[in-house]
Amino acid sequence: MRRDFAESGGCRSDLVIGREESFGAAREQLARGGSVLLHGPAGIGKSTVLRALAAEYARTAHTVLRCSATESESHLPFLALADLLGLVLDDVSGGLPAAQRTALESALTGRGESTLQRDGLALRLAVLSALRALAAEGPVLVVADDLQWLDPASAELLGFAARRLGDTPVRLLCAVRTEGPETEGAAYDRHLRASPPDTRAVRLGPLTRAQVSTLLDERGYAGLPRSTVRDIHRTSGGNPLFALELGRALAESPTPPRPGEPLPVPTSLRALVLSRLEMLSAEARRTLLVASAGARPTPALLHAAGRENAEAETAQAAALGLLATDPEGPTVRFAHPLISAALYAEAPAPERRAAHAALSTAAFDPIERARHLALATTGTDPEVAARLAEAAALSRDRGAPSVAASLGLLAARHTPADSAPGPDERRLTAAEDAITAGEPDLARDIAREVLTRTGVPGERVRAWMVVIEAAGQAIGEVDAVFPQALADAGDDPRLLALVHYQLAWRSLVVQGDFAQGREEAAHAARLAARAGDRRTEVLALAFQAQAETLMGHPGAPATIRRALEEPQDPRVACHHNGAGSSRFRWLVMSDRLAEARTTVTALLREVRRRGMAESEVHYLRFLAETELHSGHCGRALELSRESLTLARDAGIGEGAGAMQAALAEAAGGDVERALALALEAVRRAEEDGDAVYLSRALAALGHASLVAGDAGAAVRALRRVRELEAGAGITDPARGRWQGDLAEALVRTGEPAEAQDVIEVTRAHALRLGRESVLAVLDRAEAQVRAARGEHRSAVTRLASARERLAGLGYGLEEARAAFALAALHAGRPGRAAGGASYDEAARLFRRCRALPWLRQVEAAVAAQAAGPPPAPPAVPDALAGLASMERQVAALVMEGATNREIAARLFVSVKTVEATLTRVYRKLGIRSRVDIVRLAAGRRPD
């Protein structure tokens, strides 16, 4: 169709979820004037991407030709050609030779008897001539979806023309279905050969779990539990069409599937993936049903389950494309997870129970045997429940808490009401396993269900604790829980200890009151000790130790020692809120980086072994922090990105992950991304009402702003940090290490007096606590204060000393920053020769750290030095003598007539910093405008 009639973009590129890389590759190819062939399996999103690209590039094309073939119409000759050229036939036919015109009109209208055999050459040349004629008027975009269903005649003609278009401005944007990576080469090769020579093939693969979650949210299926999203992702294989259909089926289902049961597979998907099942024999279908019920089916397992002809029957299924060969082992693997799910859903309930009954004796693993026994049994059965509880404990020990939660719920379902332990107690154990596995939605749902039934105080308090844990950093959202939990606890010290431990977290996160949090934790520890509950006592002591560390309390080391005493609960010992974590924090703040790295690496290894998802997220972040302090910016960037990916996938600790990732990006990655991540961290902390991470997020934002060259923004963010930490009672400057950044930013904005005040207050705390690295960073900042005051020799001495001490402590990036400041100070001395020699050492150190944003700053400084010094500002009039250094420089440049943007470029600051500095100049001098500055300089009073 002509551009005037092109359809509006119904699918914008920003709505094509999870296709950024593929979309970018296709966009780049089309922008160069090339053609694109999208390929992938059914439902993977080819048509969505095709429509988005077509909508975007239709605006630049003079003519857009479209066709979309279907399987039912693929036998009709020339149908796709008629879709492409039917509307423009009158425009081009007049310029075609008679034979070509007759053949083309006959093919498109069906009024003649044109065939490829009879009019082959004329038709081929006619299509080529028609495309060239359209291209003579302007660029042509040919959009063809589902190439695999193009009628052979149209496919042949389009291919003939495509191979001969040469430099003619005709681009093809096509999509073709392929079955998967194993066969994709052969599947789309013939279509690629029929495309222009410069065609780029772009494969669309499966979506990640996070992308499936976003897709479901965007399409109206928001609010699904993360465990359900995980099952949808696994069952759909990351296929967006399948995922949306599964989400729709769940939304329409009156009751969600119970643990251990598959997702409901809608009829539409069953028909799509099981159309070939009718060609199997009844026995082969039973064999595949057993395979679909098993976790890791093998021929040996199928034999043990009574399927005597398993090899022949699975070979028959593989020939029909239902099974895929597994090059790495004998596992019977379905060609797509949805085939297994649909096959299982299609089977009658008695047949499914029979398959599970067979597997309950055939499976080699005791956990699998117990699961199959449960799914083969109806009603309550204490023996089955006991076996499932044992299997859940075994899964827990193996580091599979998610499996343990599923088995625990199955155990609860089969537990008689009068048993001990009862069904609700087993449900709560499953909820606690779900918390460990990083499935807070599932845990909260289980706990809420228990609370509607039980009146037992111990069970009710345990359920309230799960609800609070599931809230994560948004603990303020469950404030109403605490009075109810205290009422249920009564005067039982064991239950009260649990509640007061969570109240300690509330004091910290919601109120930002470290002193109150410390008192609550100490009270919880005393209650737990009285009740003989060592697990809760250790958690409370670990919290107390961490609060004391951050407050700069002298009792922190002793509290850590108490928390590390035996006996220990192994799971608490490695938990991210346990004593090991508190000791790590104390080591980092005490400049013992090597010990901190060893400690957190061991903790990370253990929580991975145990499957403790939330702790893994936090320990990856802790290790990234340690590497960043050590100047290993590349490694820190990798770890922080991994932590953030896991956090987003599990929906836990996302704000903290964004905060650490922002710091790592500012040090070794992309500064713009650092700013975006820091702003995300601030937003999340504010939304959650999380006072603890709000100050950390603002500190990251201030640091990223400083690296980006926006000292004004850095000052604003870091002043808020100072207020928040003062209100929370945090006195240890090693907690966030933001004070040096604030002082440096204040120097850049022309406020050295406030910078000096920050340094002196912080230095007093650092001296009291022995924070050597903080003291060295403060000296580096103070050197810049002195340089701004013209005390060059003193500034150089302090910088050299700070650099040497930071190197000795192992703070590689901070050492490099000191070397950079020293080089800048030397480069700015009058009479110094131009050139980059003074920056060589700073560049070497930043390169060693892989601190790319800082390295770019060095390169910019070298380039500026090579360009020569800026013109000297005019002499400062007496009226301006009382201004700070930065304020005098800005005022002097105003007198030259420089704009704010020119001043910012000359002084290497942001325009916002110039504007803020001018505001202070106006206030100090009692004037209102730039004109008044010029009048004062000329010795005249402003009007």
Side-chain angles (χ1 to χ4, degrees), residues 758-794:
V758 170
I759 291 166
E760 289 173 359
V761 170
T762 307
R763 183 177 283 137
H765 291 302
L767 284 168
R768 175 175 60 86
L769 297 167
R771 303 301 190 223
E772 292 298 327
S773 62
V774 174
L775 289 168
V777 168
L778 292 173
D779 280 356
R780 185 186 70 202
E782 187 173 33
Q784 295 179 60
V785 173
R786 295 188 178 190
R789 291 173 175 168
E791 301 170 19
H792 184 271
R793 186 183 300 276
S794 173

Side-chain angles (χ1 to χ4, degrees), residues 432 435-438 469 501-502 505 535 538-539 542-543 546 564 568-584 599-600 602-604 606-608 610-616 618-619 622 652:
E432 290 160 355
I435 288 286
T436 302
E469 289 279 355
Y501 171 67
Q502 294 295 349
W505 279 107
R535 179 184 185 278
V538 169
L539 281 170
F543 181 101
Q546 186 147 312
L564 289 170
Q568 288 286 325
D569 182 315
R571 299 184 71 79
V572 173
C574 65
H575 193 274
H576 62 277
N577 289 328
S581 176
S582 296
R583 181 172 183 271
F584 160 79
T599 297
V600 74
L603 290 167
L604 177 60
E606 181 63 14
V607 298
R608 278 176 165 166
R610 292 179 176 275
M612 299 168 69
E614 185 174 5
S615 292
E616 180 180 0
H618 287 291
Y619 285 139
F622 291 173
I652 47 179

